[in-house]
Amino acid sequence: MKKLSLSHKIIGSPPSKKFKKIKHLKPMLSLSNAFDENDMIDFISKITNFLNIKDKDVELSSEPKIDGISATLIYEKGVLNRGLSRGDGIIGEDILENLKTIKEIPKVIKDNNVPSLLEIRGEIYIGKKDFKSMKGSFANPRNAAGGSLRQKDSKATAKIPLKYFAYGFGTIQPMTFDTQIEFLEKIKKWGFSINPLCIGVKNLKEIEARHSYIDSLRASLDYDIDGLVYKVNSLKLQERLGNTSNSPRWAIAYKFSSEKAITKIKSIVIQVGRTGAITPVAKVEPVTVGGVVVSNATLHNEDEINRKDIRVGDTIQIQRAGDVIPQVISVDKSKRNQNSKKYIFPEKCLCGSITQKEINKSTKKEDAVRRCLKGYECDFIAREKLKHIVSKEAFNIDGLGKKVIDQLWDLKLIRKPSDIFSLNYEKIENLEGWGELSINNLKKAVNNSKVIDLDRFIFSIGIRHIGQENAKILAGFFKNIIKFTDLFENRDRKKTLENLIDLDGIGQIQIDSINTFFSNKKNIEITKNLIGKLKIVDFKVQSKKGKFSNKTIMFTGGFEKMSRSEAKSLVESQGGKVLGTISKKLDILVTGNSKPTKKKIENAKLLKIKIIKETEWYKILDL
Ligand code: IVH
């Protein structure tokens, strides 16, 4: 049979093959970033404030941030028997066989004192020299490492010179370590490969000195690093600090300043995002920045172009940091051609409709971003919305990445979300780059994604201003998809939206945005059709078990042993909720020794609310 031709060639890895999905013992979080000394001052003061140890030094570990692919290795009684990729941080993929091909990874730990359960986390990479001698189409060592780890046939992986550095742990039972540095030293003795540039630092001066020193070594290292990771050394303090929703409070990635290069603008085009935002992009003469050939750079928005007076033909400086899109930082006007003309920003979207700049309700100022307001009626927005729907955080459909969506869109095989669930597999199988195996995997992945939790579903439909956290809050409110569909009817919607304002975390911006989304008939039709293809699982109240399960607590006054933030996070981690005002809903008022508010204590007494003192509070916490 004749193969249908592709409108463009797929670059990078082919549609991903299927690996078994396994839940991580503990989530694999990401790190927040620091870019300069001030960000590091902020990081340290947040820690000392949280721990209520102002003006004291906190010992940190300083470690290179390896630019590779993270993986986790689980040893039971010293034997490696599970190896997972990060996946979405909650659920990883079983890539044990591929990880086992890496020589330096111990398969058995020969020591009688190894904890019975030991989970080691690390970064897999390909050395710069090895990458140069490899034949292949990958743009950089990181992508090549990622592609190699996702080979279905581990014999193919074994041929790739993969290496790794272990940098941390997930679950350890029994826990025998007190500090991060002690942990690294011990696992080195057990045969793990540890980066030799890890050391302890005590203060900002040492952090800054280390930063410039490692930055100066950067080019000579055989692996890519994009900064240094700083972690609170004491594991006890790490535990007290805990995590925010996505990253630990006890660690940060202090990035190196990004690499820069000079090039010329060939043309300026616009791109349309899934929320309708119009982003101007400079097509530039290809130039290598930090080992990667760059031919596009973002110009952010119309205001930015006007402010910098960026024109086609200009000589510009661009910078690229990590995975983010390269940016234009400055224009060299001395090199400008005399005939060059000011760039006029198009007022129309690529779909032809007029774009608008919104007025910010609180500042009354015009937004910098121009938007197309056509939603799914704009083909360019619709295509981006589909890419969002299949993404990791949404439906997480393996084998249906951005490039495949482009491919299927161009061939008109997909137009709206519900099409994902009635794909014409026969046609796809005959396309270049597809075969029986990848089609079967795709079918399975699409089928599996038909069962989806309510919060993921709400996030997936792509209502502006509704991110993952907000989607969870909304799912907690609606509980099931039937109740959620109240938003489809004008009258029910008004009533429902009035109730949303009471939700912690949902503000007027979100409410207005939900209203706008469901005021659009096409959005309702598309959402309804999608719901028809799915089994949406009711929201389960994840009431955490613990000392404060289903209890509400309020604090007044300062405590000696902990900050208010730590007290709050302790209550939340033990299943309780912290309230900001005294009401009948409150179970316990905790009064700190330092300046508690009399009025609050009086009000609590009137409502017969249980009041406890700081010392009793510590007793409850076993402190
Ligand atoms: S610690 C809770 N240490 O950076 C976060 N991560 O953005 C634990 N990485 O997913 C990460 N070198 O893949 C840590 N020395 C290092 C690292 C490192 C590279 C990667 C890792 C992680 C990502 C976080």
Side-chain angles (χ1 to χ4, degrees):
M1 202 179 293
K2 196 172 164 273
K3 295 248 174 200
L4 292 175
S5 69
L6 265 180
S7 61
H8 61 94
K9 207 168 150 45
I10 304 178
I11 343 153
S13 50
S16 75
K17 321 259 171 21
K18 184 104 186 77
F19 290 98
K20 204 163 119 202
K21 296 214 158 113
I22 297 178
K23 192 165 181 216
H24 288 297
L25 296 176
K26 276 193 183 148
M28 288 185 82
L29 302 172
S30 44
L31 290 169
S32 45
N33 291 324
F35 297 98
D36 55 28
E37 191 173 341
N38 281 336
D39 292 345
M40 286 307 286
I41 293 175
D42 243 30
F43 170 67
I44 293 169
S45 68
K46 272 193 191 142
I47 287 175
T48 52
N49 283 339
F50 190 95
L51 298 171
N52 214 11
I53 48 165
K54 282 178 205 112
D55 307 323
K56 283 202 189 130
D57 280 343
V58 187
E59 208 195 345
L60 303 169
S61 74
S62 165
E63 312 168 14
K65 184 168 187 294
I66 318 297
D67 195 10
I69 302 291
S70 53
T72 190
L73 305 162
I74 299 174
Y75 294 80
E76 280 171 89
K77 298 205 173 78
V79 180
L80 173 63
N81 61 14
R82 184 155 279 180
L84 305 177
S85 67
R86 181 176 184 276
D88 64 1
I90 305 291
I91 294 176
E93 291 168 315
D94 179 1
I95 51 165
L96 178 65
E97 289 314 312
N98 290 348
L99 289 168
K100 275 186 173 169
T101 67
I102 303 175
K103 269 197 246 70
E104 291 85 359
I105 290 183
K107 314 299 175 296
V108 177
I109 306 169
K110 291 183 192 103
D111 183 328
N112 290 336
N113 291 324
V114 61
S116 56
L117 177 63
L118 174 70
E119 182 180 11
I120 301 287
R121 293 182 171 172
E123 197 80 353
I124 316 286
Y125 69 93
I126 294 178
K128 291 185 198 164
K129 274 195 226 106
D130 283 335
F131 178 71
K132 274 203 183 118
S133 58
M134 271 169 68
K135 280 181 226 103
S137 55
F138 291 106
N140 54 45
R142 183 177 188 274
N143 291 356
S148 313
L149 278 178
R150 294 180 63 75
Q151 293 283 348
K152 193 68 195 165
D153 178 7
S154 60
K155 284 196 201 94
T157 310
K159 289 186 191 140
I160 315 290
L162 291 169
K163 292 185 180 142
Y164 85 103
F165 284 121
Y167 60 66
F169 56 85
T171 304
I172 301 186
Q173 279 167 2
M175 184 61 181
T176 49
F177 304 107
D178 291 321
T179 69
Q180 164 75 2
I181 293 176
E182 178 202 343
F183 162 79
L184 291 177
E185 280 166 358
K186 185 73 187 185
I187 66 169
K188 186 173 175 203
K189 290 202 180 106
W190 284 338
F192 289 90
S193 134
I194 303 303
N195 188 283
L197 300 169
C198 300
I199 60 159
V201 293
K202 286 195 300 293
N203 51 40
L204 198 66
K205 203 169 151 218
E206 292 184 9
I207 291 175
E208 285 303 309
R210 194 70 188 161
H211 204 70
S212 358
Y213 173 61
I214 303 287
D215 201 3
S216 72
L217 292 185
R218 188 177 176 190
S220 66
L221 300 174
D222 189 41
Y223 43 87
D224 283 323
I225 63 173
D226 55 359
L228 291 170
V229 181
Y230 284 91
K231 301 174 188 168
V232 170
N233 194 28
S234 152
L235 301 186
K236 260 205 198 103
L237 294 186
Q238 283 190 7
E239 204 175 308
R240 277 182 65 190
L241 286 158
N243 311 318
T244 63
S245 61
N246 279 321
S247 53
R249 288 193 191 88
W250 45 264
I252 199 157
Y254 188 1
K255 295 291 187 78
F256 293 131
S257 51
S258 41
E259 305 200 39
K260 299 179 175 63
I262 305 284
T263 181
K264 230 174 161 176
I265 301 185
K266 293 199 292 190
S267 63
I268 296 176
V269 299
I270 58 171
Q271 274 178 2
V272 188
R274 72 177 168 93
T275 61
I278 309 284
T279 311
V281 174
K283 297 271 167 196
V284 301
E285 281 173 6
V287 59
T288 309
V289 197
V292 171
V293 180
V294 167
S295 41
N296 293 321
T298 178
L299 297 164
H300 299 291
N301 54 52
E302 184 175 2
D303 288 3
E304 174 86 359
I305 297 188
N306 289 339
R307 207 176 313 123
K308 292 185 177 151
D309 185 20
I310 298 169
R311 303 180 182 192
V312 174
D314 273 351
T315 301
I316 51 164
Q317 189 181 38
I318 59 171
Q319 70 175 7
R320 178 189 152 262
D323 271 350
V324 297
I325 309 162
Q327 304 168 324
V328 175
I329 29 182
S330 61
V331 176
D332 183 349
K333 289 187 182 147
S334 69
K335 299 221 170 84
R336 179 174 279 170
N337 186 325
Q338 280 191 333
N339 307 327
S340 91
K341 287 195 192 83
K342 216 172 155 45
Y343 177 73
I344 312 280
F345 201 87
E347 298 211 333
K348 283 187 177 165
C349 173
L350 295 174
C351 72
S353 57
I354 289 288
T355 54
Q356 276 179 27
K357 285 184 174 182
E358 291 169 355
I359 307 287
N360 183 310
K361 277 204 178 131
S362 46
T363 61
K364 304 265 181 305
K365 276 192 189 148
E366 203 177 50
D367 199 355
V369 178
R370 225 170 232 293
R371 280 175 205 280
C372 170
L373 304 178
K374 289 284 168 189
Y376 277 104
E377 280 157 42
C378 165
D379 274 0
F380 299 86
I381 296 180
R383 183 201 283 236
E384 294 309 307
K385 279 185 182 284
L386 284 167
K387 290 180 188 170
H388 166 73
I389 285 203
V390 298
S391 69
K392 247 193 208 170
E393 292 74 20
F395 276 75
N396 191 16
I397 307 180
D398 255 351
L400 208 54
K402 289 183 180 173
K403 282 167 195 150
V404 179
I405 292 288
D406 277 333
Q407 180 187 22
L408 301 184
W409 179 279
D410 289 340
L411 295 165
K412 297 201 170 60
L413 290 173
I414 187 166
R415 276 292 178 271
K416 52 190 190 305
S418 54
D419 294 346
I420 297 170
F421 300 96
S422 38
L423 286 173
N424 185 337
Y425 290 110
E426 274 167 33
K427 264 199 187 151
I428 302 174
E429 191 171 346
N430 289 314
L431 300 176
E432 221 176 286
W434 290 89
E436 205 182 316
L437 186 68
S438 48
I439 280 292
N440 283 338
N441 286 333
L442 179 62
K443 273 186 201 165
K444 265 192 233 153
V446 167
N447 245 329
N448 288 342
S449 71
K450 282 185 183 164
V451 181
I452 185 165
D453 288 340
L454 181 61
D455 59 317
R456 257 187 198 252
F457 173 80
I458 296 176
F459 172 69
S460 304
I461 54 177
I463 306 171
R464 214 175 135 205
H465 300 299
I466 303 296
Q468 282 170 288
E469 283 303 310
N470 282 329
K472 272 196 196 125
I473 299 171
L474 291 174
F477 172 83
F478 288 106
K479 306 260 185 327
N480 57 53
I481 190 67
I482 307 280
K483 198 85 193 98
F484 184 75
T485 56
D486 279 354
L487 290 170
F488 296 178
E489 301 296 334
N490 268 336
R491 227 192 300 131
D492 291 344
R493 182 165 65 247
K494 290 230 168 69
K495 261 192 261 151
T496 309
L497 292 178
E498 277 166 21
N499 291 325
L500 290 186
I501 196 77
D502 290 335
L503 295 179
D504 209 10
I506 301 287
Q508 200 55 46
I509 293 185
Q510 283 76 21
I511 292 178
D512 289 346
S513 176
I514 297 172
N515 192 30
T516 311
F517 186 89
F518 288 108
S519 303
N520 176 316
K521 280 207 185 86
K522 182 108 184 171
N523 284 344
I524 295 180
E525 180 199 313
I526 280 182
T527 314
K528 270 188 188 161
N529 286 340
L530 182 60
I531 293 173
K533 304 271 182 187
L534 306 170
K535 177 173 172 4
I536 301 172
V537 182
D538 291 357
F539 185 79
K540 283 182 255 5
V541 187
Q542 289 154 335
S543 82
K544 272 197 202 143
K545 290 202 184 84
K547 286 179 182 150
F548 306 114
S549 274
N550 306 316
K551 288 262 181 300
T552 54
I553 318 281
M554 186 176 153
F555 302 106
T556 176
F559 300 120
E560 193 198 325
K561 289 196 191 169
M562 64 180 66
S563 66
R564 193 60 81 68
S565 334
E566 183 174 6
K568 181 170 188 271
S569 108
L570 274 167
V571 168
E572 284 166 354
S573 68
Q574 297 267 5
K577 199 173 168 202
V578 175
L579 300 186
T581 50
I582 306 255
S583 75
K584 278 189 199 149
K585 286 186 200 159
L586 182 65
D587 294 314
I588 306 171
L589 175 70
V590 190
T591 61
N593 289 344
S594 163
K595 298 183 197 148
T597 315
K598 274 197 193 124
K599 187 95 190 137
K600 285 183 183 155
I601 302 179
E602 279 164 22
N603 283 343
K605 277 185 184 157
L606 281 179
L607 292 170
K608 298 205 169 63
I609 287 162
K610 185 173 175 184
I611 304 176
I612 63 168
K613 292 225 164 70
E614 187 167 342
T615 41
E616 282 173 80
W617 170 243
Y618 294 144
K619 268 189 212 144
I620 298 179
L621 297 171
D622 296 325
L623 286 179

